[in-house]
Amino acid sequence: MACLVASLIIPLLLVFEVRTVQRSKGVCAAKSSCNEGGDAHFLQACVSNTPSDHFLMENEHDSEAYFFLNAVCPHLTKTPNVPLCCDTSQLLQLKNQMEAVRTLLRRCPSCLQNFQSMWCNVLCHPDQSTFVEVTAADPYNGRFDDDAPSKYNESVDAVTVYLTEDFATKLYQSCASVKFPSTGLYVISAMCSGRPPSTCGPQKFLDYIGAKSNRRSPSDFTFVVVDETTQTPSGIKPLDLDLFHCSESGFNNSEPCSCVDCPQSCAKMDAPVQSVSEDEATRTPWRLLGVSGYVILVSVAYIAISCIYIVVSYMHCLYYKKPDLDNSVFLPPSNQGHKSTSTKSQGMACSGGGANNPNGGNSATGSDCGANGAVGGGCQSSEAVIVEIGVFEQISRRFQKGLNRFFYKWGLTMASQPVAALLFGTMLVAICSNGLHYVRWTTDPVELWSSKTSQAYQEMQHFNAHFGPFYRIEQVIVKLKPNTTAPTDPFYTPSKAADKARPSKFSPILDAHILHEVLYLQENISSLVVYSERHERNVTLSDVCHKPMAPLNDNCAVMSVTEWFQNSHENIDQVRYKTARKRVIVADHYKHLAACIESSTRIDDGTPLHRSCLASWGGVVDPLIALGGFQDAEYERASALVITFLVRNSLNSRETELAEDFEAGYLRKVREFQVEHPHLSVAYQAQRSIEDEIERESAGDIKTVLCSYLIMFGYITLCLGRVGGCSLRSLVDMKVTVGIGGVVIVMSSVVCSIGVFGFIGVPATLIIMEVVPFLVLAVGVDNIFILVQYFQRYRPKNKDESLEVRIATVFSRVAPSMLLSSSAEALAFFLGAMTPMPAVRTFSLYAGMAVAFDFLFQITCFVGLLTLDAKRQRGARLDVACCFPVENCDKARQQEGMVYSLFRNYYSPILFSDTVRPLVIVIFGGWFIACVCMMPHIPIGLDQSLSVPSDSYMRDYFSAISEDLNVGSPVYFVLKGPFPYDDPDKRKLVCGLAGCSLDSIVEQISRAADESNVTKIAKMPNSWVDDYLDWSDPQSGCCRFYEDDQRKFCNASVKLQSCNTCEFDGGRLEGDQFYDLLPFFLRDIPTADCPKAGKASYADAVSLQSLDRQMEGDTSGDGERVMVVASHFMTYHTALRTSQDFTEALTQSRLLAAKISDTIGIEVYPYSVFYVFYEQYLTIVEDTFFNMSVSLVSIFLVTFFFLGLDLVSALFVGLTILMIIVSMCGLMYLWDISLNAISLVNLVMAVGISVEFCAHTVRTFAVNPNPSRLQRAKDSLLEMGSSVLSGITLTKLGGILVLGFSNSQLFKVFYFRMYLGIVIFGAAHGLAFLPVLLSYIGPSTKELRHRPNVQAPVSAANSVKQRCRTCNCCRTSSPVDTKTPSDAFNKDKRRRPNKNTTRDNSLLASSSAAGNAHNIDGTSQTIDEDTLLTDKAERNSKSGESELISTSADENVDSLMIESKRVAALTGPSRKLLDNCVSESNVDSLINV
């Protein structure tokens, strides 16, 4: 192509001697050919200074010349026998040169005609002397022999041409935007020393095309652009002709230039589409004092609301602390004169009154016993009203009762048969683990992150099927390290001339010795032989590389600067001198680099070297790809050399494996080069590099992960047990076996989950091994701690109660909560599998199944293991070494755990104090609002450098491509399906030549490239249609058939006179001829004579389908009929450096493709190799919202169902989890954690783990019959909070902190930071915010409802309490704080040692407290007085500690009925004593409850 470009410069043929000249009309400064047979490349004009001659047509050559002149300069042939300053030989030479130029400029007829018009006027205009001045003549006429000068006519050696400014400007502007279709580069750059149009201009353009140094002109042409200030010689009248604007029609009404080549033709183009992010970025935000105004408004509003809330809360507390006010949950009748309080009053109860007052709301009977009543001996009674419970409450009671009974029986069965339970679990694990043999581990990033139903995946499949997979890229980026001096290569020493000749505009990276070193590396890689163990053969680069010119050229396609030197050290070192007319011309590698940078398509660089710029493999190496680190197309200032090896990427696994084996050897070779050349900064990568580094990272972090899990396992085994008694007792009370068993259960559940899906065929990912064990361990540990600590705190009523019954009772109290949390988590994960993202879907399936197995093993194996361990402990045998009993050891004593004591003595009183509670609500509310405001600003994407270890060579490569590469990945706009290319009218929608539609695919992509900062499109597309039409043009000389066989194609490289050019009916390619010649175009190899041949650029751009028929009369098979089923138009993205850039590029490309599809009427889609990975970020926000919503809804429904259709409790669980997730989003923004598939998996996991932090507490609160919300919140926190803290919180915290020491940036960012956030925010909300919120507005107890201001019969329970108070049976000893009514009874019992009285008082207290004394659910209908006294004495010996295990509302009603029956069964003195306090009718009423 360079040779053709040079022809544009055809200042052809004129040279003039300095002498006295006549400047007037009709006079020629030079004419005719002067040096025929000389050594010059072109004919030179002779110095003339004579009148112009009439052009005579004496033969066919004269006619041919005249017709050409009439075509390019019709104004000179308006009259017959027009006088001219040129002859036939000059015109024919001009025609030949212009035919080559036509191939490049025919895209824009106006430019081509203006260009030809200028040269034909300079050469032939009859008034030539008025604007052409000969400044130098050559007496030797271009010859260099010893003949005398007088032997030849003087030829023109230098000339000055005067042009008007308007003429020069119009000429330049008409050609400034014309592009090469195959490369997208500007033609003007090749005619302006490589400068882009923005830095070129009319004068520089004319200077270059007129310079003799470009070796395309026989004489030096100096163009002088004359303006108002220019002084010209006398008689000079600058040339000023009417030229065509590029948007205007030329001679013979030719089409104006297209929008691609003429911006003025795009006057009506639409504004580029801006993405939402780009549009928001251009807005000016409202700011106040440097801060967003919206943030200030929200902050001020929240602070104001918080202040009002705190003031109101404190005033309310002060008001309700007055001793004469009642804070009872029951409303007294209106005629009693008491202030009535509503349920809302209960929620605002203050810790100093109401709820904690011994005579206030802590009484289950609702008695209004103030301090005066206690002292004076008579209390005013509030007559409570029992209201029938609703349908939901009835369902709830029955459901909870059914759950308790079911799990009691289940626990009794498992505890009775512990060995069978363990064997069942072992067999199940053995069966499921067989599925591990069928597990398919997915490591392919495409399968991990892209759904097979996604748009990008489908488009990738279509592209691969029709054009083949995109190449495997092996790339090396070489830079000079700062402040280092490169040693001279010992093998190839550049010459002194070349060493001293570096121009200042060239950077040091382009020095000859650096090029030698780079070529040395390239040669080593090209000659590398790698042994493939998988296929037992040697593999070389030639076996796997892309060879675009095969079979004629078997070299591999390599994009490198050294390809401009054909990979030859000799060519780099070559320095050529030329002496002509006492001048010495020196050409070295810098001159060659400059020529190739100007136009990498040159066959001859135009220097004395006469070297080609084409690569050794026959293609073009674009400086935009081979150089890096430059600005504004100043390629000479590049700071980096880029070597890119194109390796075939096949769908055949065998070929892929061979390529991978070669890449392994390639990486080793580059590392060796890096060590041997310390002065060079070498960044490199292979296609397999990411997967290799991720695998290395995973292997390197095994120790860290194992250490993390060992810490968690160790904590579990050590903290489950309690130390007490003698020194050996601690070895008995340890729970190492139980802890190890719990951990084994967790791991077994993961194994079973993987095995089950292995049987099913669901592929597994590495994320499963990284995340699922962490999740299941969190869930399992929480349940283990709750169950074990509940068992440790439980005190049986009957000292003879068997161990199995004790475990069954504990299990019946804990298992419903375990079922609630596990079911909610499993359902949330299973529903989360509806997401289209494969990694998230796979994680959700495996996690849901693992949680389900974990729950199954816990209610079977762990119950059996706990039973066996309890028997061991009861038998005083050592833990682990259970065969060794410990003799003479104290009995195990019940002790509070450290965490439990901390909660009871410090944390709970502080948290529920009047000062802290409002602050908790304000702080958490403010944090929630702040996080909501931060959510829209969470970065989206994944920094590639995070996916590799911190010491990986890929981090240097990522840094290098971000800093040094000036162009992004190729992008293909694919026409999906057949298109009527053979219809000239329809074809205008897919071409970019003159006459094509302004809305064609080429035009629209080119306009998008003009707005590259928005569209991310770097350049105009390669258009195979345009080049095919140019190739088939008869005047191009490319499309030829053999003269003796019109069915056999004659390649452009064939130099035979017997090849005839193609001819078409009507003069244009249409109908079947379009498809008949297309295969020949795609197989034709480019040459200097035919640069438009399509094999190099378009062999893979068109997908052909055979029609199973041959051209008529053809038997060779060359003329097979085909049709185009798919084709693409390739361009490049701009340099993309961040995930946001990649995502924006995908978005803009799809917007552009959709617009093109609507315009041309066929589906068009964009494809780039990274689209399949970054498509997830287009919908990541929607996917996150969907997954979070589905998980929250499923948890809400499960909670609603398992709490007996308790809507309020389910809402509290959902609200708390929502706040935890929003807090995690705030953490992601503050800690620079981007939203991607990994973080989405962690958020889904966070939803599941959050259930453990709140579900147990809410259920315990909901089933607690105490009417005071504050007291129920305290009980729930004390009962479940300590287990949650010591279980899931501290266990996971220890393991997570270890992850912070990982070498993996991925682990640090997405696991350490996010896991830490999950635990901290989960614990904060579950142990602080949720209990406080429940103490304010938690759901009311289901046991008793009240109806205000309604007179009703006095309840049995209240009647008993009133009569008891009258005879001083139940009055508390003092108005000080007590924990429960049973504690008050215990104090009375110490004053009354009478056995029968104590027993009766116990029964009355049990009845009046509505079941707060915790009995086993209906397991015994008789009572033993001694047992009861013993049990009460044990409780008193615990310093007044209240019973901690809250029973459900159903159990309390049953307990009340049992105690009432026992009261009715009393006889003797006890009955008489009771009769004095309670009438028989009231007892009967109590029984009827």
Side-chain angles (χ1 to χ4, degrees):
M1 196 178 326
C3 148
L4 305 176
V5 171
S7 335
L8 307 175
I9 306 169
I10 314 193
L12 303 183
L13 329 167
L14 317 169
V15 209
F16 310 77
E17 174 186 312
V18 179
R19 62 186 67 201
T20 303
V21 296
Q22 179 183 357
R23 295 191 181 94
S24 62
K25 291 185 178 181
V27 176
C28 299
K31 65 179 180 181
S32 301
S33 300
C34 193
N35 66 333
E36 295 184 13
D39 294 334
H41 288 278
F42 303 105
L43 298 176
Q44 290 180 287
C46 298
V47 177
S48 174
N49 199 27
T50 60
S52 55
D53 297 329
H54 292 282
F55 189 84
L56 301 177
M57 292 186 292
E58 298 177 349
N59 52 50
E60 62 180 11
H61 294 293
D62 295 337
S63 299
E64 181 182 358
Y66 183 81
F67 290 146
F68 169 72
L69 181 63
N70 184 61
V72 297
C73 290
H75 62 284
L76 297 181
T77 59
K78 291 181 180 179
T79 61
N81 298 323
V82 59
L84 298 173
C85 291
C86 57
D87 57 14
T88 297
S89 60
Q90 290 176 299
L91 283 174
L92 291 179
Q93 185 176 15
L94 179 63
K95 177 188 176 183
N96 292 334
Q97 295 294 333
M98 287 300 168
E99 283 181 356
V101 173
R102 178 183 173 86
T103 305
L104 301 178
L105 295 183
R106 71 182 295 269
R107 295 177 52 84
C108 185
S110 301
C111 167
L112 177 62
Q113 292 174 9
N114 291 341
F115 191 82
Q116 293 179 140
S117 178
M118 182 194 73
W119 285 114
C120 80
N121 277 280
V122 170
L123 181 64
C124 299
H125 199 284
D127 302 330
Q128 185 189 73
S129 63
T130 61
F131 60 88
V132 174
E133 179 184 16
V134 176
T135 57
D138 181 10
Y140 290 90
N141 198 8
R143 298 175 183 271
F144 303 98
D145 51 30
D146 297 331
D147 295 335
S150 59
K151 185 177 179 179
Y152 307 103
N153 295 327
E154 291 183 326
S155 61
V156 175
D157 194 48
V159 65
T160 299
V161 180
Y162 295 90
L163 308 173
T164 64
E165 184 177 18
D166 182 65
F167 181 93
T169 302
K170 284 184 178 180
L171 174 64
Y172 173 77
Q173 290 180 347
S174 66
C175 298
S177 299
V178 181
K179 301 181 180 70
F180 293 114
S182 59
T183 63
L185 300 176
Y186 289 99
V187 173
I188 202 72
S189 296
M191 304 163 68
C192 198
S193 300
R195 300 182 183 90
S198 58
T199 60
C200 190
Q203 188 63 62
K204 294 179 181 178
F205 167 65
L206 294 170
D207 290 343
Y208 183 81
I209 65 175
K212 191 174 181 178
S213 60
N214 61 47
R215 208 172 168 271
R216 295 304 168 188
S217 172
S219 308
D220 276 324
F221 280 74
T222 302
F223 289 91
V224 177
V225 178
V226 180
D227 56 18
E228 298 177 353
T229 62
T230 305
Q231 295 182 356
T232 60
S234 175
I236 289 296
K237 183 180 180 182
L239 178 64
D240 187 13
L241 300 175
D242 291 332
L243 299 181
F244 301 104
H245 194 278
C246 63
S247 60
E248 298 176 343
S249 298
F251 300 134
N252 302 323
N253 294 321
S254 60
E255 295 286 351
C257 302
S258 67
C259 176
V260 174
D261 302 311
C262 179
Q264 289 75 15
S265 297
C266 308
K268 298 181 180 180
M269 67 173 288
D270 297 332
V273 180
Q274 282 193 334
S275 66
V276 175
S277 59
E278 189 75 21
D279 183 53
E280 289 179 349
T282 58
R283 296 178 184 174
T284 302
W286 172 49
R287 308 186 74 83
L288 187 63
L289 300 177
V291 181
S292 174
Y294 298 106
V295 173
I296 293 178
L297 284 180
V298 172
S299 302
V300 171
Y302 182 75
I303 292 173
I305 294 173
S306 300
C307 292
I308 294 173
Y309 165 74
I310 293 175
V311 171
V312 172
S313 177
Y314 283 152
M315 291 179 63
H316 183 274
C317 289
L318 293 175
Y319 178 76
Y320 278 101
K321 281 184 178 180
K322 295 181 180 180
D324 58 332
L325 296 179
D326 174 42
N327 196 30
S328 172
V329 69
F330 292 96
L331 297 178
S334 58
N335 59 1
Q336 295 296 325
H338 292 280
K339 285 185 177 289
S340 64
T341 58
S342 65
T343 304
K344 183 177 291 187
S345 300
Q346 175 197 180
M348 295 295 293
C350 301
S351 58
N356 279 349
N357 194 327
N359 301 314
N362 202 32
S363 174
T365 63
S367 61
D368 186 23
C369 256
N372 294 334
V375 176
C379 300
Q380 263 188 324
S381 175
S382 297
E383 296 182 353
V385 180
I386 299 297
V387 180
E388 292 185 2
I389 61 177
V391 176
F392 283 174
E393 283 80 359
Q394 292 182 26
I395 295 175
S396 176
R397 286 182 55 202
R398 293 175 183 175
F399 184 78
Q400 296 295 335
K401 186 175 182 179
L403 278 181
N404 288 332
R405 288 178 176 175
F406 170 78
F407 282 116
Y408 178 82
K409 294 178 181 179
W410 181 277
L412 188 61
T413 302
M414 294 297 106
S416 301
Q417 303 292 333
V419 177
L422 292 173
L423 288 177
F424 164 78
T426 304
M427 292 178 60
L428 184 60
V429 172
I431 294 173
C432 293
S433 61
N434 287 328
L436 297 177
H437 299 290
Y438 306 98
V439 174
R440 181 173 65 89
W441 294 94
T442 300
T443 57
D444 185 358
V446 175
E447 294 185 20
L448 282 175
W449 309 119
S450 181
S451 170
K452 292 184 178 180
T453 60
S454 67
Q455 179 180 346
Y457 186 87
Q458 296 294 331
E459 291 168 352
M460 181 191 70
Q461 292 296 101
H462 180 272
F463 186 90
N464 292 346
H466 288 85
F467 311 109
F470 190 74
Y471 310 109
R472 300 177 68 91
I473 301 298
E474 333 297 345
Q475 195 168 63
V476 182
I477 302 175
V478 179
K479 298 174 63 177
L480 271 174
K481 290 183 178 179
N483 303 322
T484 58
T485 302
T488 301
D489 193 300
F491 301 102
Y492 302 99
T493 304
S495 63
K496 294 182 179 180
D499 195 40
K500 296 179 180 179
R502 170 158 54 100
S504 60
K505 68 176 182 178
F506 282 91
S507 65
I509 197 66
L510 294 175
D511 285 351
H513 57 276
I514 300 296
L515 296 182
H516 281 302
E517 291 179 290
V518 171
L519 180 54
Y520 176 73
L521 170 63
Q522 187 173 329
E523 289 175 336
N524 285 343
I525 294 174
S526 299
S527 60
L528 178 66
V529 179
V530 179
Y531 182 74
S532 172
E533 295 182 356
R534 287 184 286 186
H535 298 281
E536 299 181 349
R537 54 160 291 186
N538 290 329
V539 186
T540 64
L541 178 63
S542 181
D543 295 328
V544 297
C545 71
H546 173 58
K547 302 175 182 179
M549 296 295 186
L552 296 181
N553 186 328
D554 203 40
N555 290 324
C556 295
V558 181
M559 301 295 179
S560 171
V561 169
T562 59
E563 289 287 350
W564 291 339
F565 299 90
Q566 293 74 50
N567 297 330
S568 169
H569 292 282
E570 290 75 13
N571 289 350
I572 295 175
D573 282 338
Q574 186 178 20
V575 178
R576 180 163 293 182
Y577 305 88
K578 181 177 180 181
T579 304
R581 295 180 293 277
K582 300 181 181 181
R583 290 181 299 176
V584 178
I585 300 175
V586 180
D588 56 12
H589 84 283
Y590 292 111
K591 294 289 182 65
H592 184 69
L593 283 173
C596 295
I597 286 174
E598 290 173 8
S599 176
S600 56
T601 61
R602 290 186 173 190
I603 303 298
D604 190 313
D605 60 6
T607 71
L609 296 172
H610 303 308
R611 293 288 180 190
S612 172
C613 292
L614 295 181
S616 60
W617 48 273
V620 176
V621 177
D622 193 333
L624 192 65
I625 299 173
L627 297 171
F630 53 84
Q631 300 293 331
D632 301 325
E634 295 182 354
Y635 300 108
E636 298 88 349
R637 305 304 304 166
S639 61
L641 301 179
V642 183
I643 311 172
T644 305
F645 299 88
L646 299 183
V647 175
R648 293 191 308 271
N649 195 2
S650 175
L651 298 177
N652 185 296
S653 60
R654 182 178 183 277
E655 293 186 12
T656 301
E657 290 173 354
L658 288 175
E660 290 175 347
D661 292 340
F662 175 80
E663 288 170 351
Y666 151 82
L667 292 173
R668 290 193 297 269
K669 183 63 65 175
V670 177
R671 279 194 286 269
E672 293 174 3
F673 176 84
Q674 187 179 33
V675 173
E676 294 170 357
H677 298 76
H679 59 283
L680 295 179
S681 173
V682 182
Y684 58 96
Q685 74 104 32
Q687 189 74 23
R688 62 176 292 167
S689 293
I690 294 288
E691 294 184 29
D692 287 349
E693 290 303 286
I694 291 177
E695 183 178 349
R696 185 172 73 88
E697 180 181 56
S698 301
D701 283 319
I702 288 178
K703 294 182 180 179
T704 304
V705 175
L706 287 178
C707 182
S708 173
Y709 280 109
L710 287 176
I711 289 177
M712 291 187 284
F713 295 163
Y715 172 83
I716 294 169
T717 56
L718 294 177
C719 292
L720 279 177
R722 290 181 178 176
V723 179
C726 67
S727 58
L728 293 178
R729 187 70 211 181
S730 60
L731 300 180
V732 175
D733 293 339
M734 292 174 62
K735 297 290 183 184
V736 174
T737 304
V738 174
I740 294 175
V743 171
V744 171
I745 285 175
V746 169
M747 295 297 103
S748 298
S749 62
V750 176
V751 171
C752 288
S753 176
I754 298 175
V756 168
F757 285 111
F759 283 123
I760 297 174
V762 178
T765 65
L766 293 177
I767 293 181
I768 293 173
M769 300 308 299
E770 294 168 348
V771 180
V772 172
F774 182 90
L775 167 68
V776 181
L777 186 63
V779 175
V781 166
D782 197 34
N783 291 336
I784 289 172
F785 268 84
I786 290 175
L787 182 58
V788 172
Q789 292 184 353
Y790 216 128
F791 176 74
Q792 291 172 338
R793 292 198 296 262
Y794 174 75
R795 292 184 297 277
K797 303 261 183 273
N798 189 345
K799 64 181 180 180
D800 295 327
E801 183 177 272
S802 66
L803 178 62
E804 289 77 7
V805 171
R806 179 184 174 190
I807 289 180
T809 303
V810 170
F811 187 71
S812 68
R813 308 280 173 78
V814 176
S817 182
M818 295 169 57
L819 175 64
L820 167 63
S821 61
S822 299
S823 301
E825 292 159 2
L827 182 61
F829 289 133
F830 282 131
L831 292 180
M834 294 189 297
T835 181
M837 194 176 299
V840 180
R841 181 175 63 250
T842 303
F843 162 77
S844 298
L845 289 173
Y846 278 82
M849 186 64 71
V851 170
F853 271 111
D854 184 63
F855 176 73
L856 177 61
F857 289 141
Q858 284 180 341
I859 65 175
T860 55
C861 300
F862 191 76
V863 173
L865 181 63
L866 184 62
T867 303
L868 294 176
D869 186 75
K871 290 180 179 180
R872 174 200 61 78
Q873 189 175 8
R874 177 176 290 185
R877 293 192 297 273
L878 295 176
D879 192 14
V880 181
C882 57
C883 297
F884 300 96
V886 178
E887 298 181 358
N888 301 324
C889 187
D890 297 341
K891 290 182 62 176
R893 294 188 300 175
Q894 297 290 340
Q895 285 185 328
E896 291 182 357
M898 182 179 65
V899 176
Y900 179 83
S901 300
L902 179 67
F903 267 69
R904 185 171 66 84
N905 298 326
Y906 300 100
Y907 181 70
S908 182
I910 294 175
L911 179 66
F912 290 106
S913 65
D914 296 341
T915 304
V916 174
R917 281 203 302 163
L919 291 178
V920 169
I921 299 298
V922 170
I923 292 173
F924 278 86
W927 171 249
F928 176 78
I929 293 175
C931 291
V932 170
C933 295
M934 289 185 280
M935 286 174 63
H937 305 288
I938 297 175
I940 295 176
L942 175 63
D943 185 357
Q944 296 181 87
S945 61
L946 294 179
S947 61
V948 297
S950 55
D951 59 346
S952 171
Y953 65 89
M954 287 298 295
R955 295 180 68 86
D956 295 332
Y957 175 76
F958 291 140
S959 177
I961 62 175
S962 176
E963 297 174 1
D964 300 318
L965 293 194
N966 293 77
V967 67
S969 302
V971 55
Y972 304 86
F973 287 86
V974 182
L975 272 69
K976 190 176 181 180
F979 184 82
Y981 296 98
D982 55 337
D983 185 341
D985 294 330
K986 294 288 187 181
R987 195 163 59 221
K988 292 180 179 179
L989 295 173
V990 294
C991 65
L993 298 172
C996 294
S997 172
L998 292 180
D999 290 324
S1000 71
I1001 182 172
V1002 178
E1003 296 280 2
Q1004 294 195 52
I1005 298 174
S1006 299
R1007 292 202 298 266
D1010 293 335
E1011 300 289 340
S1012 59
N1013 59 323
V1014 175
T1015 62
K1016 309 300 181 184
I1017 302 295
K1019 54 198 299 187
M1020 71 166 286
N1022 298 352
S1023 173
W1024 68 269
V1025 176
D1026 292 358
D1027 280 347
Y1028 179 39
L1029 294 177
D1030 289 341
W1031 175 87
S1032 62
D1033 187 350
Q1035 297 185 15
S1036 69
C1038 294
C1039 180
R1040 301 184 303 165
F1041 284 92
Y1042 284 100
E1043 184 177 6
D1044 57 348
D1045 188 354
Q1046 293 297 322
R1047 298 182 303 273
K1048 190 173 181 180
F1049 181 73
C1050 183
N1051 193 285
S1053 59
V1054 178
K1055 305 295 185 181
L1056 292 177
Q1057 296 295 329
S1058 58
C1059 292
N1060 297 333
T1061 58
C1062 303
E1063 296 182 0
F1064 311 110
D1065 299 335
R1068 60 179 182 175
L1069 189 63
E1070 61 183 9
D1072 289 342
Q1073 288 180 320
F1074 184 93
Y1075 295 112
D1076 293 341
L1077 296 176
L1078 183 57
F1080 300 126
F1081 164 72
L1082 297 176
R1083 294 198 298 264
D1084 197 10
I1085 296 177
T1087 63
D1089 296 328
C1090 182
K1092 296 286 186 167
K1095 181 173 179 62
S1097 300
Y1098 305 116
D1100 298 327
V1102 183
S1103 177
L1104 301 177
Q1105 178 179 336
S1106 174
L1107 297 180
D1108 297 327
R1109 60 189 179 93
Q1110 301 292 322
M1111 295 175 60
E1112 184 177 355
D1114 179 40
T1115 59
S1116 64
D1118 290 340
E1120 184 180 6
R1121 300 278 182 161
V1122 297
M1123 66 176 295
V1124 178
V1125 294
S1127 66
H1128 66 64
F1129 296 78
M1130 188 194 80
T1131 181
Y1132 286 89
H1133 280 302
T1134 55
L1136 307 175
R1137 293 179 168 83
T1138 65
S1139 293
Q1140 289 73 21
D1141 289 341
F1142 285 99
T1143 306
E1144 186 66 19
L1146 171 57
T1147 302
Q1148 291 296 333
S1149 296
R1150 285 188 172 174
L1151 290 173
L1152 178 59
K1155 185 178 178 182
I1156 294 172
S1157 300
D1158 294 339
T1159 303
I1160 69 176
I1162 186 175
E1163 182 181 353
V1164 177
Y1165 69 84
Y1167 172 77
S1168 189
V1169 67
F1170 66 84
Y1171 284 0
V1172 72
F1173 303 108
Y1174 284 88
E1175 185 189 35
Q1176 59 177 303
Y1177 302 129
L1178 299 181
T1179 59
I1180 190 69
V1181 175
E1182 292 79 4
D1183 290 341
T1184 302
F1185 180 79
F1186 172 79
N1187 279 276
M1188 297 299 101
S1189 300
V1190 168
S1191 299
L1192 287 173
V1193 170
S1194 62
I1195 290 172
F1196 169 80
L1197 293 177
V1198 171
T1199 307
F1200 178 67
F1201 176 76
F1202 282 107
L1203 286 181
L1205 308 184
D1206 188 343
L1207 178 63
V1208 179
S1209 297
L1211 287 175
F1212 273 103
V1213 173
L1215 173 64
T1216 307
I1217 295 175
L1218 175 63
M1219 295 185 67
I1220 294 174
I1221 298 304
V1222 172
S1223 298
M1224 286 298 302
C1225 293
L1227 176 72
M1228 292 174 65
Y1229 170 77
L1230 294 174
W1231 215 344
D1232 195 24
I1233 304 173
S1234 57
L1235 179 60
N1236 50 53
I1238 300 176
S1239 53
L1240 177 55
V1241 167
N1242 288 337
L1243 289 176
V1244 173
M1245 182 187 68
V1247 174
I1249 293 181
S1250 299
V1251 175
E1252 297 294 327
F1253 285 105
C1254 58
H1256 300 296
T1257 302
V1258 171
R1259 185 184 183 278
T1260 305
F1261 181 91
V1263 301
N1264 191 328
N1266 196 309
S1268 169
R1269 287 191 177 94
L1270 181 59
Q1271 188 60 39
R1272 281 193 289 153
K1274 290 181 177 180
D1275 293 342
S1276 301
L1277 178 64
L1278 194 60
E1279 184 175 339
M1280 288 295 177
S1282 58
S1283 296
V1284 170
L1285 179 63
S1286 59
I1288 183 174
T1289 306
L1290 296 181
T1291 301
K1292 306 309 296 181
L1293 194 61
I1296 290 170
L1297 293 178
V1298 178
L1299 297 179
F1301 297 96
S1302 171
N1303 289 328
S1304 169
Q1305 295 297 311
L1306 200 69
F1307 265 71
K1308 288 182 180 179
V1309 174
F1310 292 103
Y1311 295 126
F1312 168 69
R1313 295 181 184 179
M1314 293 197 73
Y1315 286 3
L1316 186 63
I1318 291 171
V1319 173
I1320 291 178
F1321 288 126
H1325 285 80
L1327 302 179
F1329 172 76
L1330 181 59
V1332 171
L1333 187 66
L1334 291 173
S1335 72
Y1336 279 121
I1337 56 174
S1340 59
T1341 179
K1342 293 181 174 60
E1343 191 58 38
L1344 299 174
R1345 303 294 185 200
H1346 65 269
R1347 182 182 298 132
N1349 301 326
V1350 177
Q1351 193 70 27
V1354 178
S1355 67
N1358 200 33
S1359 178
V1360 172
K1361 189 68 177 177
Q1362 287 178 341
R1363 296 302 181 89
C1364 184
R1365 187 182 296 112
T1366 302
C1367 61
N1368 293 327
C1369 293
C1370 289
R1371 183 177 301 131
T1372 57
S1373 59
S1374 64
V1376 297
D1377 233 2
T1378 57
K1379 302 301 180 185
T1380 63
S1382 60
D1383 290 333
F1385 168 78
N1386 292 338
K1387 294 182 180 180
D1388 281 339
K1389 185 182 67 175
R1390 287 196 294 270
R1391 296 199 305 269
R1392 292 179 178 82
N1394 182 277
K1395 182 176 181 181
N1396 293 329
T1397 303
T1398 303
R1399 172 171 163 268
D1400 296 337
N1401 287 340
S1402 171
L1403 297 175
L1404 292 173
S1406 299
S1407 301
S1408 64
N1412 272 344
H1414 308 286
N1415 300 309
I1416 301 174
D1417 182 23
T1419 57
S1420 175
Q1421 298 295 331
T1422 61
I1423 183 169
D1424 179 75
E1425 295 179 11
D1426 293 334
T1427 299
L1428 183 61
L1429 287 174
T1430 303
D1431 292 341
K1432 296 300 179 181
E1434 280 187 0
R1435 268 177 279 185
N1436 288 332
S1437 67
K1438 301 297 291 182
S1439 302
E1441 178 184 352
S1442 63
E1443 182 65 55
L1444 297 176
I1445 305 175
S1446 299
T1447 60
S1448 67
D1450 310 312
E1451 295 170 341
N1452 292 327
V1453 173
D1454 293 340
S1455 300
L1456 178 61
M1457 296 175 66
I1458 294 169
E1459 296 296 343
S1460 301
K1461 291 179 182 179
R1462 293 174 180 172
V1463 171
L1466 292 176
T1467 58
S1470 299
R1471 180 71 186 197
K1472 292 180 181 180
L1473 176 62
L1474 182 61
D1475 288 340
N1476 293 330
C1477 297
V1478 185
S1479 65
E1480 185 65 29
S1481 59
N1482 284 336
V1483 173
D1484 293 338
S1485 299
L1486 181 62
I1487 295 173
N1488 291 333
V1489 172

